[in-house]
Amino acid sequence: MTYCRSGSCEQMFGSRFARRSLRRYRRNGLDDIERALVSSVSEGIEGSSVLEIGGGVGAVHAELLAAGAARGEVVELVAAYEPYARELAEERGLAERTRFRVLDLLEEPDGVDRADVVVLNRVVCCSPDGVRLTETAARLARHALLLSYPRDIWWTRTGVRLQNAAFWLLRRSFRAFVHRPAELMAAAARAGLEPDRSGGGAIWEYAVLRRAT
């Protein structure tokens, strides 16, 4: 769920945050947005490959593998997630089918292999380059991109401004962003993907985009 530049990400999402993320997933499982993303591709997932960008402990990736995907990879900027992602994969019996790598996809777009299903869950809000990241992720998706992002509405924008003000007061370099959904969809379209379904709640929205045939 984290994708920014490594310095600010390490500052914001360290080992303590990663440990809490794993504990929360063990206790509650996926949230509503994540369950919707997984269910959108569960039918026909057998034998597919999965790439989760900014996947944290790899919860969505793990659920897709448990649903029948053949193999998967989590690509992160924050190395602190790695032991917890490996721990989750091992306890789910998925260790031999998963891979975790620390890599800046915007700096090394050719450093990751394409996958049938690419997941970009609550990631674009962590980078000013969220639109470019969406296009990069879409180009890596052979069949589908699972994307979630904050709603572009006044209360979300206000909340993000207040959050960023708090980060400034605490002298943290991390900032959150609300990108326009139309720009995210246009970025995916440039990579050949078309919207298939969407939904969401008061704060978060999701879109499932598939490669045009």
Side-chain angles (χ1 to χ4, degrees):
M1 68 182 278
T2 56
Y3 200 101
C4 38
R5 286 299 181 261
S6 58
S8 57
C9 272
E10 292 285 356
Q11 185 185 74
M12 188 70 185
F13 304 100
S15 182
R16 182 180 300 178
F17 187 93
R19 185 168 56 250
R20 286 202 304 265
S21 297
L22 178 56
R23 189 164 55 239
R24 184 169 55 249
Y25 170 68
R26 283 170 170 161
R27 184 176 61 247
N28 302 322
L30 300 181
D31 62 27
D32 290 344
I33 293 290
E34 292 165 338
R35 282 195 294 271
L37 291 174
V38 169
S39 67
S40 71
V41 293
S42 291
E43 185 176 345
I45 194 71
E46 291 81 5
S48 298
S49 57
V50 175
L51 169 64
E52 187 169 9
I53 299 167
V57 299
V60 174
H61 150 275
E63 293 285 344
L64 289 171
L65 264 64
R71 63 189 183 281
E73 180 174 34
V74 178
V75 172
E76 254 294 346
L77 273 176
V78 181
Y81 279 111
E82 183 169 6
Y84 303 99
R86 293 190 184 282
E87 186 177 336
L88 175 59
E90 287 172 3
E91 69 183 43
R92 295 293 300 271
L94 305 171
E96 294 184 357
R97 295 191 283 143
T98 67
R99 182 184 186 191
F100 184 99
R101 280 201 293 162
V102 178
L103 181 141
D104 186 334
L105 186 60
L106 291 180
E107 291 293 328
E108 301 180 63
D110 298 324
V112 179
D113 292 333
R114 299 182 75 201
D116 297 314
V117 177
V118 175
V119 182
L120 202 57
N121 177 41
R122 293 188 172 102
V123 177
V124 296
C125 56
C126 297
S127 173
D129 298 314
V131 173
R132 184 158 66 98
L133 179 58
T134 299
E135 184 170 353
T136 301
R139 293 191 186 282
L140 290 169
R142 290 195 190 94
H143 301 308
L145 172 65
L146 312 184
L147 174 68
S148 68
Y149 46 87
R151 287 191 67 188
D152 182 21
I153 199 164
W154 70 266
W155 60 75
T156 306
R157 292 192 297 269
T158 299
V160 165
R161 282 195 293 269
L162 292 173
Q163 188 179 48
N164 287 338
F167 293 147
W168 181 81
L169 289 171
L170 293 170
R171 297 186 178 181
R172 292 186 175 182
S173 58
F174 178 84
R175 296 293 183 269
F177 302 87
V178 178
H179 298 286
R180 295 187 181 280
E183 294 180 358
L184 298 174
M185 298 305 110
R190 288 193 293 273
L193 301 188
E194 298 176 345
D196 178 61
R197 70 177 72 178
S198 60
I203 305 297
W204 294 95
E205 293 182 326
Y206 74 88
V208 177
L209 302 108
R210 298 186 186 274
R211 186 150 305 280
T213 56

